[in-house]
Amino acid sequence: MEDERERFLIRYAGGFAPLVVDRAEGAWIETRDGRRVLDFTSGQICSTLGHGHPRIGAALQRALDELIHLSSWMLSEPVLALAERLARLFPDPLEKVILLNTGSEANEVALKLAKLHTGRFEVAGLTRSFHGLLTGIASVNFSMAHAGYGPLLPGAFAIPAPYAYRCPIRHCDGACDCACLEVGFELLDQQSVGSLCALIAEPVLSTGGVIVPPDGYLPRARELCDARGMLLVVDEAQTGFGRLGTMFGFEHDGVLPDLVAVSKTLGGGIPLAATVTSAAIEEDCVAKGFLHVTSHVSDPLPAAAGLAVLDVIDEEGLVERARERGGYLLRRLRELQPEHEQIGDVRGRGLLVGVELVADRESKAPADELGTALTAESLRRGLSMNIVRAGASANCLRLAPPLTISEAEIDAAIEILDASLRAVLGARPELAAAR
Ligand SMILES: Cc1ncc(COP(=O)(O)O)c(C=O)c1O
């Protein structure tokens, strides 16, 4: 029988979740058939304040009453206030802001500015990176979705991700020493036509399998970029505004990017993104005729939501909360690990946590089918998690609840995960084998 949800919708990502949602509050989603589900994906990793935060609602209501949208060259109070707020939040000299809508767009704009400023076009990204699915930015999106859409942008290069559990250059085992980064830049130098423009990186590679670079990775990347006159672009779509236990992911080891893209977590569920850079880069690009006008650049309504999000993060101490609760979540998962041979690796920073599933810890063979069955069973039992990809496999669970999550809710999630793993393997022991 045809699924009613598929009758009029293009299936943009394979299929849809086996439920329809009526409402959501805090970390909980309520389905049409009255079930409550713990949301360990924060929507699409956007709802860091939890669902239905009254402050976002109030800000939106005010905007609906006063001002929703304007011509792109007209500015409004929420836009001016948010730009100033962001400029003050970022370290010097990052003080120039453009307000956009999605993560793909914020990254595209960052790379447009980088190209115009340097006069070069070659951009490097990390293998297993995800930066968005519009054609320009997808060219340096190395975790998925290159096949079938024709040519990508020339000058897109991949360097190996610092994936310590499965070292891409077969060098480290469990602890990355950044050899992959040195090798990556050697490869880059040998392939370049002399137009190296920028490196784009996530502080933690989320969609590519929650890969946490070792301390010192971004500072060394900064040095390697500087030596070549390349800019460093940091994509904070998932990590900005607290998720990793610092306001921004790049702060972890004190690196200063040239351009930063923030998105998902800025709007708390409302489409809002920003690209931030220095006055020097902005002035140079404007002098060269920088152009990026869209229907919703500098829109007042999403800016009002962004201001509310920043207020709540501050007032509720959510950055510290993410650090604490993230530590708790990691500890609970590591306690669970010895009980299940299929939990190969538990890793993460703050409230961005990955659990890599394997046939057994000795072989480390990716257990893709187990991942699919486990997320389905967990959802049935009331816990929504993503399965994300680690290389060619899709065997990494990603746990990224709202930053407002309580310890009791984390305990409930661990209980469901544990019970689901036992139930799935009890019913289908063959899933403990490799993919
Ligand atoms: C790190 C990162 N950058 C960029 C994007 C793209 O953002 P959007 O889907 O808003 O275009 C995503 C989306 O998942 C992401 O995770």
Side-chain angles (χ1 to χ4, degrees):
M1 199 179 77
E2 186 178 36
D3 185 321
E4 54 140 343
R5 297 159 316 147
E6 294 178 1
R7 186 144 175 237
F8 301 114
L9 286 166
I10 292 177
R11 285 162 286 174
Y12 46 79
F16 300 108
L19 46 81
V20 175
V21 177
D22 270 353
R23 61 189 312 276
E25 193 180 342
W28 295 90
I29 288 166
E30 220 173 285
T31 66
R32 185 149 82 183
D33 56 5
R35 287 188 300 129
R36 274 162 57 79
V37 175
L38 258 177
D39 183 6
F40 267 52
T41 73
S42 301
Q44 197 65 20
I45 323 283
C46 302
S47 305
T48 43
L49 313 188
H51 294 281
H53 198 290
R55 291 289 288 278
I56 298 184
L60 289 176
Q61 191 54 58
R62 210 174 317 119
L64 289 173
D65 292 341
E66 291 172 4
L67 190 56
I68 297 173
H69 166 81
L70 286 171
S71 153
S72 299
W73 69 288
M74 288 186 187
L75 298 178
S76 59
E77 193 48 45
V79 165
L80 293 170
L82 182 58
E84 178 175 350
R85 189 79 178 270
L86 288 172
R88 293 191 190 287
L89 211 49
F90 280 89
D92 287 342
L94 299 170
E95 56 172 324
K96 288 284 195 167
V97 175
I98 176 170
L99 295 181
L100 306 159
N101 304 114
T102 67
S104 307
E105 191 191 6
N107 285 327
E108 290 263 3
V109 168
L111 294 184
K112 280 171 75 171
L113 288 165
K115 288 174 185 176
L116 206 54
H117 179 61
T118 59
R120 307 177 187 180
F121 71 93
E122 291 173 320
V123 178
L126 274 58
T127 55
R128 302 186 173 84
S129 59
F130 189 89
H131 299 296
L133 291 178
L134 303 179
T135 301
I137 194 63
S139 302
V140 285
N141 196 43
F142 291 108
S143 59
M144 64 179 83
H146 278 187
Y149 305 108
L152 297 168
L153 291 183
F157 297 114
I159 65 172
Y163 183 15
Y165 188 64
R166 300 179 195 276
C167 175
I169 59 166
R170 313 293 185 262
H171 168 71
C172 319
D173 186 11
C176 175
D177 67 1
C178 295
C180 51
L181 183 60
E182 307 292 332
V183 169
F185 270 79
E186 270 180 49
L187 292 172
L188 206 56
D189 288 338
Q190 290 174 38
Q191 293 171 87
S192 169
V193 295
S195 191
L196 288 172
C197 166
L199 170 71
I200 183 167
E202 299 160 77
V204 169
L205 286 83
S206 177
T207 305
V210 191
I211 294 167
V212 183
D215 287 354
Y217 183 89
L218 275 183
R220 179 63 186 147
R222 169 87 265 182
E223 286 172 4
L224 291 164
C225 284
D226 288 345
R228 291 156 179 80
M230 294 169 71
L231 302 185
L232 178 62
V233 179
V234 175
D235 176 0
E236 295 265 3
Q238 298 199 11
T239 52
F241 309 108
R243 178 160 295 285
L244 300 186
T246 48
M247 184 57 82
F248 300 106
F250 66 77
E251 287 174 290
H252 175 78
D253 42 17
V255 76
L256 188 59
D258 299 291
L259 293 127
V260 182
V262 290
S263 50
K264 293 174 180 286
T265 53
L266 177 57
I270 300 300
L272 176 64
T275 306
V276 184
T277 192
S278 65
I281 291 178
E282 191 261 1
E283 271 161 33
D284 180 52
C285 289
V286 171
K288 290 170 175 166
F290 174 63
L291 181 66
H292 187 84
V293 184
T294 67
S295 306
H296 297 290
V297 69
S298 293
D299 254 357
L301 181 137
L307 283 166
V309 167
L310 296 183
D311 282 343
V312 172
I313 287 174
D314 207 23
E315 288 161 20
E316 297 188 10
L318 293 186
V319 179
E320 297 72 35
R321 191 102 71 92
R323 199 159 49 232
E324 272 169 35
R325 298 285 146 81
Y328 184 72
L329 175 58
L330 271 177
R331 182 155 65 74
R332 291 299 327 267
L333 286 166
R334 287 188 175 135
E335 283 165 6
L336 194 62
Q337 190 173 15
E339 313 262 317
H340 297 281
E341 182 64 17
Q342 290 72 32
I343 299 184
D345 195 27
V346 175
R347 51 185 180 249
R349 182 176 291 160
L351 276 171
L352 185 55
V353 172
V355 175
E356 186 157 343
L357 299 169
V358 292
D360 59 82
R361 280 196 281 273
E362 178 70 26
S363 74
K364 290 187 180 177
D368 287 28
E369 273 193 64
L370 174 60
T372 309
L374 181 58
T375 44
E377 180 64 18
S378 297
L379 186 59
R380 215 179 54 74
R381 290 170 181 255
L383 171 65
S384 170
M385 295 173 293
N386 285 126
I387 187 95
V388 293
R389 48 184 69 250
S393 314
N395 66 321
C396 184
L397 301 174
R398 179 176 64 197
L399 291 86
L403 311 189
T404 51
I405 197 82
S406 67
E407 287 193 357
E409 286 165 335
I410 291 175
D411 290 342
I414 297 286
E415 221 169 274
I416 294 175
L417 177 58
D418 184 23
S420 303
L421 204 43
R422 287 177 204 282
V424 165
L425 288 175
R428 297 177 63 193
E430 76 282 3
L431 292 182
R435 97 184 99 109

